[in-house]
């Protein structure tokens, strides 16, 4: 498989990204490739500096860089030779099986919709996050930032797409789906969550277990946590900050260590014609390496095709 | 001061409540009183069983009990001699300076609006919660469950009422107010948070510091955290579960110990004509005792009068 990686995206790019690529390369099969996209000389000189001599990493030139704070749509239309534009171009042309970037999140999202585009039947693509479970492993939470506001039918579809992801990528049979809410009773919550609850309850493709409360995030009540991007983003960032505080306090625990953003490595964009993963802006080499591993799992599980099949009419 | 306490409300009532009253009584001034409201014989026999011989605790008879799962409005209208109805009756008649209950949250909220009523000028009363700060002390977060959905002007007013509470009860001069959101930029978030951001920014009575992200909950960015009750409820319950997990794992830390619901003791209802505090359903004696202490602080800070003065035209 060929995994395209944006060498220029992220607060610590290109150094951290290229170091991450080297870590990931050690875990790849002989025939697998990491396609490092960025300013050729810069990337080559760093690979040399880090003493890379292997065959798994190839460099693809992209002369421009989209800054972390740039306006996504404007940047993408103006910087057609930016690493993100080139990466999505390769994904669309099937010169890459996945594209990973720790760069501008908005540009990654807009780039996906402009290039490989949303799968027909998917109402809104979503960014998925991961929540560690006390019983081990991770649950998937969606959305974590692509859609601040969601209609009931969008939340319902998150239950479907989250289930497909949990089954084929996380390997959870008949994943339990819960709706984030402020109470267990189905009458609780906003007009939107009340309507979404009814839709999920009546959806034959979803193993709906009902509403979840803030205290249910880490227990076994659900494998798929459905919420709007506003709520999911707050939950994920709160969990990250808990880890950072523990880290500073030198509190070590296998469960809480999974709150570390580096463990998951990145957040997949679900519902597009291709595999794309968005990394944390502060991505370290370890995070970048795990982002590549996440992309590998998505490729080998054929998750994008499974979405397409599921929604094709 | 006279603090009315619902002896029958909570999963472990009346035992835990009465034990909590005994703990609180030790911290009261000679002239202060705890008015235990509940079925006389039951309360008296337990006070006797626990060996209470002091003068600070008085018993007020209430023959009925509102269950934790009962429909608030129906229960209150039918059970006029329930401990919650009697408690609010005393608060309204100024036979009590505050009313605390770990019972049915909905009944506590509806009871407040039926009896002492919402302060004129307050759009929606709110339930406030507390978030521990790394620098010590607590910030106040509102709403945590009274209003799942909030209009921009309601969120704006939470900024005002939260500031008044932080100043007079928590003793924070010129408290910093932040709006819970998924990004720092004012363009981020939902239509409601975008509009609320502008209102808070232009409100001369609020020291607005802008949007907060999930990672800002425990730092010094803000003393008052503004959000709708859906979001606040999820945040508070997630924090509680973090504490419970650490507790089970026997991880001890002064900061994270403040995530324990027992520390704050309860959640005040802000914006009503009187002091009311809602306790956690599972309230332990320690939590009940701290709920009484919280009520004491609200009484001595004259918080309810301050709200009235602030909104009187």
């Amino acid at each position: 498989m060929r995994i395209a990686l944006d060498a220029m995206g992220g607060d610590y790019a290109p150094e951290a990204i290229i170091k991450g690529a080297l870590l990931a390369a050690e875990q790849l099969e002989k025939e697998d490739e990491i396609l490092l996209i960025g300013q050729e000389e810069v990337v080559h000189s760093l690979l040399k500096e880090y003493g890379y001599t292997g065959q798994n990493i190839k460099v693809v030139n992209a002369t421009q860089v989209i800054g972390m704070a740039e306006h996504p749509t404007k940047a993408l239309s103006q910087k057609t030779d930016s690493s993100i534009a080139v990466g999505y171009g390769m994904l669309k042309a099937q010169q890459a099986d996945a594209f990973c970037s720790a760069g501008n999140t908005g540009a990654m999202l807009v780039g996906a919709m402009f290039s490989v585009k949303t799968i027909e039947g998917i109402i809104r693509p979503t960014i998925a996050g991961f929540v560690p479970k006390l019983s081990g492993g991770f649950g998937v939470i969606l959305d974590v930032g692509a859609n601040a506001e969601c209609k009931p039918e969008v939340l319902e579809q998150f239950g479907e797409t989250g289930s497909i992801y949990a089954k084929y990528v996380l390997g959870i049979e008949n994943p339990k789906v819960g709706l984030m809410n402020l109470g267990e009773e189905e009458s609780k919550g906003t007009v939107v969550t009340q309507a979404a609850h009814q839709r999920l309850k009546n959806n034959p493709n979803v193993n709906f277990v009902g509403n979840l409360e803030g205290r249910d995030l880490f227990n076994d009540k659900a494998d798929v946590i459905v919420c709007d991007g506003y709520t999911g983003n707050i939950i994920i960032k709160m969990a990250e900050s808990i880890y950072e505080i523990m880290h500073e306090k030198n509190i070590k625990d296998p469960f809480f260590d999974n709150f570390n953003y580096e463990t998951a490595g990145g957040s997949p964009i679900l519902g597009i014609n291709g595999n794309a993963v968005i990394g944390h802006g502060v991505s370290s080499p370890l995070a970048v390496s795990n982002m590549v591993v996440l992309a590998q799992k998505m490729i080998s599980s054929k998750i994008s095709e499974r979405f397409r099949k599921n929604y094709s009419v």
Side-chain angles (χ1 to χ4, degrees), chain A:
Chain A
M1 51 183 74
R2 303 150 305 165
I3 298 164
L5 176 60
D6 175 4
M8 316 308 280
D11 300 342
Y12 305 114
E15 292 79 1
I17 311 298
I18 294 170
K19 285 178 180 166
L22 298 183
L23 285 177
E26 296 167 10
Q27 306 167 55
L28 293 178
E29 302 297 324
K30 204 181 158 307
E31 65 278 12
D32 295 341
E33 281 182 346
I34 295 175
L35 309 169
L36 269 176
I37 304 172
Q39 291 158 335
E40 234 165 2
E41 323 71 46
V42 181
V43 180
H44 274 304
S45 67
L46 281 169
L47 282 171
K48 191 156 174 246
E49 183 185 331
Y50 302 147
Y52 182 68
T53 55
Q55 298 304 313
N56 298 100
I57 298 180
K58 301 274 181 291
V59 180
V60 177
N61 191 37
T63 57
Q64 295 171 302
V65 177
I66 293 177
M68 299 299 275
E70 283 192 67
H71 186 283
T73 324
K74 207 188 289 176
L76 273 169
S77 53
Q78 290 170 354
K79 296 183 171 176
T80 53
D81 198 41
S82 61
S83 49
I84 291 181
V86 170
Y88 273 122
M90 295 181 72
L91 192 64
K92 189 182 181 187
Q94 298 181 5
Q95 295 159 346
D97 305 302
F99 177 46
C100 306
S101 173
N104 186 310
T105 301
M108 277 299 286
L109 205 56
V110 174
M113 302 197 202
F114 279 7
S115 59
V116 294
K117 298 198 165 57
T118 304
I119 291 169
E120 224 175 301
I122 293 281
I123 311 169
R124 303 278 304 152
T126 173
I127 302 175
F130 302 99
V131 184
K133 296 170 134 293
L134 276 162
S135 56
F138 288 85
V140 58
I141 176 169
L142 63 177
D143 181 18
V144 299
N147 313 282
E149 279 164 294
C150 297
K151 295 204 173 82
E153 56 269 34
V154 173
L155 291 175
E156 177 189 14
Q157 195 173 65
F158 289 169
E160 295 175 351
T161 53
S163 299
I164 295 168
Y165 189 92
K167 182 176 180 183
Y168 294 106
V169 184
L170 302 181
I172 302 168
E173 262 316 306
N174 194 24
K176 301 189 288 284
V177 176
L179 176 65
M180 208 64 223
N181 211 330
L182 50 56
E184 288 180 335
E185 307 84 347
E186 59 181 72
S187 62
K188 287 287 178 83
T190 64
V191 173
V192 170
T193 57
Q194 285 167 17
H197 184 106
Q198 294 309 318
R199 284 175 161 272
L200 284 161
K201 201 171 77 173
N202 299 319
N203 186 319
N205 307 317
V206 169
N207 176 15
F208 187 54
V209 296
N211 290 342
L212 303 175
E213 296 180 83
R215 67 170 67 95
D216 298 317
L217 280 158
F218 312 111
N219 63 26
D220 267 333
K221 201 163 167 190
D223 307 298
V224 178
I225 298 161
V226 172
C227 59
D228 59 61
Y230 172 88
T231 307
N233 187 271
I234 290 169
I235 289 170
I236 286 291
K237 286 178 180 167
M238 180 174 165
E240 276 175 28
S241 72
I242 297 282
Y243 170 78
E244 280 158 28
I245 294 167
M246 287 189 165
H247 186 68
E248 277 162 30
K249 289 172 169 289
N250 203 21
I251 299 172
K252 288 184 174 52
D253 176 83
F255 169 71
F256 285 111
D257 288 348
N258 285 335
F259 282 47
N260 180 1
Y261 82 95
E262 291 175 305
T263 311
S267 299
I269 305 177
L270 303 186
I272 57 172
N273 292 296
N275 300 308
V277 184
I278 303 174
H280 202 301
V282 300
S283 283
S284 66
L286 174 61
V288 171
S289 170
N290 286 336
M291 172 160 65
V292 171
V293 172
L294 174 61
Q296 270 184 299
K297 286 194 198 131
M298 289 170 71
I299 296 167
S300 49
S301 68
K302 302 189 170 52
I303 188 67
S304 180
E305 291 93 305
R306 293 187 191 276
F307 283 133
R308 257 197 306 278
K309 282 208 195 84
N310 189 76
Y311 289 100
S312 63
V313 275

